[in-house]
Amino acid sequence: QVQLVESGGGLVQAGGSLRLSCVVSELTLSFSRYTMAWFRQAPGKEREFVGGISWGGGSAYYGDSVLGRFTISRDNAKNTVYLQMNSLKPEDTADYYCAATLNVRVNRIRAEYAYWGQGTQVTVSS
């Protein structure tokens, strides 16, 4: 079973930065075959799409609320996907989840992703 492990969450002041990492293991195919994404879920809210990146990293897509502040990237040699978060706001506070799919296209729909990590908590203080 594919396993995803997130790290890098924590407490940061508004305006600060964090970089999340997600290491993928127990793959059935090469990591480069998986489309990767980050979602987040704040208390009492639905899980929302943050960003996604294609197989080779050539295409990236973002949710409207993070566009221009967050950057998703991947290192296929390390089986790792990253989320660089800059200019953080209190409303970015949430649990952040890494997700993987063998679908070719980046999709904003949660149900399209078959594999999920356990999440890492990000708290942004005002």
Side-chain angles (χ1 to χ4, degrees), residues 19-21 38 71-73 75 78 80-84:
R19 188 175 84 153
L20 306 184
S21 300
W38 288 93
T71 303
I72 188 171
S73 61
D75 185 338
K78 296 182 178 180
T80 302
V81 62
Y82 304 98
L83 184 68
Q84 178 66 44

Side-chain angles (χ1 to χ4, degrees), residues 26-44:
E26 307 300 328
L27 297 165
T28 55
L29 297 170
S30 169
F31 176 68
S32 64
R33 294 287 306 276
Y34 292 81
T35 295
M36 301 298 299
W38 288 93
F39 286 74
R40 69 185 182 185
Q41 187 166 16

Side-chain angles (χ1 to χ4, degrees), residues 38-60:
W38 288 93
F39 286 74
R40 69 185 182 185
Q41 187 166 16
K45 295 188 177 181
E46 294 290 320
R47 192 169 297 189
E48 67 168 340
F49 175 81
V50 174
I53 189 165
S54 61
W55 293 359
S59 298

Side-chain angles (χ1 to χ4, degrees), residues 10-14 18 39-46 48 50 65-66 69-70 85 87-97 120-126:
L11 174 64
V12 63
Q13 289 188 332
L18 281 175
F39 286 74
R40 69 185 182 185
Q41 187 166 16
K45 295 188 177 181
E46 294 290 320
E48 67 168 340
V50 174
S65 61
V66 306
R69 300 187 297 122
F70 290 12
M85 306 186 295
S87 302
L88 282 161
K89 305 175 181 180
E91 50 264 44
D92 294 318
T93 294
D95 291 326
Y96 283 71
Y97 298 89
T120 186
Q121 188 173 54
V122 172
T123 302
V124 184
S125 63
S126 57

